[in-house]
């Protein structure tokens, strides 16, 4: 019995289902994203080991190249303003808002040289994903063991100055899809003050127009990214942490709300052209 007509019909039926049924399309794209993460992490880990032989921040450029290809599979486009502000040749703490698992694409799109991330320790055990993060020099902290987290951050403070590292942190501490910014946690600001390095805020516009886990929406779209001016910490002490947090939160929140407004119906872009 000839199977090809049945296979063709089944494939066409599946494609039609994905096109017509929003939830099916959402979960299919999400599953593909997870599969891409696993496959690309395994391949990138191999390249990192062959190129540099082990754990080093230099592997981040390799990882970034692989992850930046994801946007083509999903029809996503990034419009970035202020990118040169990230290319300073000095250690700094970079903070950004945290919305979904897609944030990894946004991070890698603008990741500067010699930049590492701080991530929860649980990610270390996600097979090839944990391996490639380890090889890229990611610092893992345990949310359940505050004393260990403090020790890791203290070590990181010394290393970022000694090795001229930039450190990327999500100060909200968790993913947030409520259309606003959550209150910031203190870790990134303690780190910047302890190391006496500037903080560079990076803001991503809302994903809600193309990615929404509640309504099962996952389509193509535009992600606007804006790098804000560096906030100096020279001369600040632990007593200045609340004021520093508030300054950064206000600047990022106002930028996020402005950037996340729907585009004008006539299609005219707001502001100057993206870099």
């Amino acid at each position: 019995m000839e199977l090809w007509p049945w296979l063709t019909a089944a494939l066409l039926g599946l494609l039609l289902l994905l096109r017509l049924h929003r939830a099916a399309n959402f979960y299919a794209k999400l599953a593909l994203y997870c599969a891409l993460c696993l496959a690309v992490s395994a391949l990138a880990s191999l390249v990192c080991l062959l190129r540099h032989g082990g754990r080093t921040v230099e592997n981040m450029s390799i990882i970034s190249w692989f992850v930046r290809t994801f946007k083509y599979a999903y029809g996503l486009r990034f419009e970035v303003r202020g990118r040169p502000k990230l290319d300073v040749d000095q250690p700094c703490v970079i903070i950004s808002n945290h919305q979904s698992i897609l944030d990894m694409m946004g991070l890698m799109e603008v990741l500067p040289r010699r930049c590492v991330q701080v991530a929860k320790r649980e990610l270390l055990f996600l097979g090839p994903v944990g391996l490639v993060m380890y090889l890229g020099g990611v610092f893992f902290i345990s949310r359940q063991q505050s004393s260990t987290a403090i020790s890791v951050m203290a070590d990181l403070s010394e290393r970022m100055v000694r090795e001229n590292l930039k450190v990327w942190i999500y100060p909200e501490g968790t993913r947030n899809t409520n259309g606003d910014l959550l209150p910031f946690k203190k870790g990134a600001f303690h780190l910047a003050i302890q190391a006496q390095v500037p903080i560079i805020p990076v803001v991503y516009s809302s994903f809600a127009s193309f990615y929404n886990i509640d309504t099962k929406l996952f389509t193509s779209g535009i992600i606007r990214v804006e790098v804000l001016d560096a906030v100096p910490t020279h001369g600040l002490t632990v007593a200045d942490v609340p004021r520093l947090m508030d300054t950064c939160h206000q600047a990022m929140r106002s930028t996020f709300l402005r950037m996340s407004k729907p585009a004008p119906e006539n299609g005219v872009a707001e502001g100057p052209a993206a870099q």
Side-chain angles (χ1 to χ4, degrees):
M1 181 178 179
E2 184 61 56
L3 292 179
W4 285 112
W6 293 101
L7 291 174
T8 302
L11 180 59
L12 290 175
L14 177 61
L15 292 175
L16 182 62
L17 174 64
L18 293 178
R19 189 171 185 84
L20 296 179
H21 198 286
R22 174 180 281 192
N25 182 66
F26 176 85
Y27 286 116
K29 287 187 174 182
L30 204 58
L32 174 61
Y33 184 80
C34 294
L36 279 174
C37 287
L38 291 171
V40 167
S41 293
L43 180 58
S45 294
L46 179 60
V47 175
C48 289
L49 287 170
L50 291 174
R51 182 70 182 273
H52 296 121
R55 176 177 167 89
T56 170
V57 66
E58 299 300 334
N59 282 327
M60 287 308 306
S61 60
I62 296 172
I63 299 168
S64 174
W65 184 88
F66 277 102
V67 175
R68 288 200 308 272
T69 63
F70 286 18
K71 62 187 175 187
Y72 301 113
Y74 288 93
L76 297 177
R77 184 160 60 89
F78 290 87
E79 295 181 351
V80 184
R81 298 180 61 183
R83 187 194 298 266
K85 298 175 185 177
L86 292 173
D87 295 329
V88 293
D89 186 23
Q90 69 178 86
C92 62
V93 173
I94 303 171
I95 57 174
S96 66
N97 52 316
H98 194 14
Q99 300 182 70
S100 77
I101 60 173
L102 303 184
D103 288 337
M104 179 179 64
M105 286 193 287
L107 184 153
M108 294 300 174
E109 186 70 22
V110 299
L111 191 79
R113 290 190 68 256
R114 301 196 60 75
C115 182
V116 297
Q117 297 82 53
V118 173
K120 58 184 180 181
R121 184 172 175 78
E122 291 83 351
L123 296 177
L124 181 59
F125 306 103
L126 288 182
V129 175
L131 174 60
V132 81
M133 292 177 72
Y134 172 81
L135 291 173
V138 171
F139 282 81
F140 298 95
I141 60 173
S142 174
R143 293 176 176 176
Q144 289 72 36
Q145 299 178 344
S146 58
S147 59
T148 303
I150 292 173
S151 175
V152 170
M153 296 298 274
D155 176 61
L156 181 53
S157 172
E158 296 177 0
R159 290 189 58 180
M160 65 185 300
V161 174
R162 184 173 67 248
E163 301 176 20
N164 192 24
L165 297 176
K166 300 177 178 69
V167 179
W168 193 298
I169 299 177
Y170 295 111
E172 291 172 285
T174 188
R175 297 170 190 164
N176 169 36
T177 58
N178 69 1
D180 205 338
L181 266 62
L182 294 175
F184 287 169
K185 297 185 181 299
K186 297 180 179 180
F189 306 94
H190 275 288
L191 176 64
I193 287 178
Q194 185 173 355
Q196 291 289 283
V197 299
I199 295 175
I200 302 180
V202 178
V203 184
Y204 293 85
S205 61
S206 173
F207 295 173
S209 64
F210 63 88
Y211 179 88
N212 189 311
I213 194 170
D214 294 323
T215 62
K216 303 298 181 285
L217 173 69
F218 199 166
T219 63
S220 59
I222 297 174
I223 301 173
R224 297 177 178 84
V225 189
E226 187 163 336
V227 184
L228 306 185
D229 291 336
V231 179
T233 66
H234 183 71
L236 300 185
T237 67
V238 173
D240 297 302
V241 165
R243 181 170 57 84
L244 181 62
M245 287 174 59
D246 186 59
T247 297
C248 293
H249 190 277
Q250 287 188 28
M252 292 178 67
R253 182 173 184 267
S254 62
T255 302
F256 173 77
L257 295 176
R258 170 177 54 79
M259 293 168 60
S260 300
K261 290 180 181 178
E265 293 184 1
N266 61 9
V268 177
E270 296 183 11
Q275 294 180 4

